[in-house]
């Protein structure tokens, strides 16, 4: 129900525009009725509205993993596919504790190709290894704060990035996919990585 309400809210502007179009066409004075042209405008407007609704929902894909059975294995399988299908990847994580052997192997491949950026509070054994292999590790400091955000950008640094963002609650692990030009979250994620990169560079200079 929450998923449905979220998208209904996002479609209010489209719905308002469509209703306005209907009102203009249907309330024309009798002498200005457009006959077949009015029906054609209604048809075109309806098709366009349905397409925009479909495109809005399609551009923001949300996956829900019920926290029962091997739900963590399903999340890892999804993340493996998400990272594998992208070019350069930027990962914003707390400690990469979700990485298993298969994903570790994939990250090592990305690191050797200079296609991996990782943002986290402090180095881990894994990130030290990836750093040695060519990954760009951006450390912003461990001050006891655990960020709520978790996301992975694929095709990072290109004109067509996409981001998978994780949300947590008691019953579900939710991942929402967004693409550039379709959702502002992509640009926010890109900006956050850029800010952390700048801060990490300044921190290294001071240290």
């Amino acid at each position: 129900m929450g998923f449905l309400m979220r998208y209904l809210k996002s479609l209010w502007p489209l719905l308002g525009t469509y209703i306005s179009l209907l009102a203009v066409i249907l309330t024309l004075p009798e002498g200005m009725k457009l006959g077949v042209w009015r029906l054609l405008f209604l048809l075109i407007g309806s098709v366009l509205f349905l397409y925009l609704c479909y495109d809005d929902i399609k551009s923001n894909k949300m996956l829900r993993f019920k926290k029962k059975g091997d739900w963590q294995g399903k999340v890892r399988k999804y993340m493996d596919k998400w990272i594998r299908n992208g070019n350069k990847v930027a990962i914003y994580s707390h400690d990469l504790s979700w990485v298993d052997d298969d994903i570790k192997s994939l990250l090592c491949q990305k690191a050797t190709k200079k296609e991996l950026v990782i943002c986290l509070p402090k180095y881990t054994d894994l990130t030290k290894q990836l750093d040695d292999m060519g990954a760009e590790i951006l450390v912003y400091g461990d001050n006891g704060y655990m960020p709520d955000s978790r996301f992975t950008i694929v095709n990072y640094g290109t004109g067509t990035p996409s981001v998978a963002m994780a949300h947590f609650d008691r019953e579900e692990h939710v991942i929402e996919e967004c693409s550039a030009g379709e959702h502002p979250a992509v640009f926010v994620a890109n900006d956050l990585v850029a800010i952390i990169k700048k801060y990490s560079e300044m921190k290294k200079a001071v240290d």
Side-chain angles (χ1 to χ4, degrees):
M1 180 61 69
F3 172 79
L4 177 61
M5 290 303 299
R6 177 183 180 278
Y7 280 113
L8 285 177
K9 289 179 180 179
S10 72
L11 294 176
W12 278 129
L14 294 177
L15 182 59
T17 302
Y18 179 64
I19 292 175
S20 297
L21 174 64
L22 290 179
V24 169
I25 295 175
L26 295 176
T27 58
L28 285 172
E30 192 65 31
M32 295 180 62
K33 297 295 184 181
L34 302 179
V36 68
W37 285 105
R38 181 177 63 166
L39 294 177
L40 182 59
F41 286 143
L42 282 173
L43 178 60
I44 293 174
S46 299
V47 170
L48 180 60
F49 171 70
L50 291 174
Y51 170 76
L52 290 174
C53 291
Y54 165 76
D55 187 64
D56 184 80
I57 294 174
K58 179 175 67 69
S59 66
N60 298 290
K61 181 179 178 182
M62 187 175 292
L63 299 95
R64 297 178 178 273
F65 300 89
K66 293 287 186 180
K67 291 184 177 179
K68 58 183 181 180
D70 186 28
W71 69 271
Q72 292 175 317
K74 294 177 181 178
V75 172
R76 290 189 179 97
K77 185 177 180 180
Y78 165 84
M79 290 303 301
D80 184 290
K81 183 178 179 181
W82 180 255
I83 294 171
R84 194 177 298 277
N85 290 341
N87 293 317
K88 190 170 185 178
V89 175
I91 300 173
Y92 184 87
S93 178
H94 179 64
D95 56 11
L96 295 178
S97 58
W98 50 272
V99 174
D100 61 8
D101 290 340
D102 290 336
I103 297 179
K104 178 181 177 181
S105 177
L106 177 58
L107 294 180
C108 288
Q109 295 175 29
K110 291 284 185 183
T112 57
K113 295 178 181 179
K114 308 293 184 182
E115 294 182 349
L116 181 62
V117 179
I118 299 176
C119 305
L120 74 174
K122 62 181 180 179
Y123 276 96
T124 65
D125 291 340
L126 174 58
T127 55
K128 290 177 182 177
Q129 179 182 348
L130 294 170
D131 192 3
D132 292 337
M133 299 180 71
E136 185 177 6
I137 309 299
L138 306 178
V139 176
Y140 55 86
D142 183 17
N143 56 8
Y145 171 70
M146 181 181 293
D148 291 329
S149 301
R150 304 285 195 280
F151 61 81
T152 299
I153 306 172
V154 295
N155 298 325
Y156 175 69
T158 71
T160 57
S162 297
V163 61
M165 301 176 293
H167 309 272
F168 305 92
D169 62 35
R170 293 181 179 179
E171 298 181 353
E172 293 181 323
H173 180 100
V174 182
I175 297 178
E176 184 175 0
E177 296 179 10
C178 303
S179 299
E182 298 170 344
H183 200 289
V186 181
F187 303 103
V188 173
N190 267 316
D191 288 343
L192 182 56
V193 173
I195 291 170
I196 292 175
K197 181 176 181 178
K198 190 66 176 179
Y199 174 79
S200 181
E201 291 172 350
M202 294 171 59
K203 189 172 183 297
K204 286 182 180 178
V206 172
D207 295 342

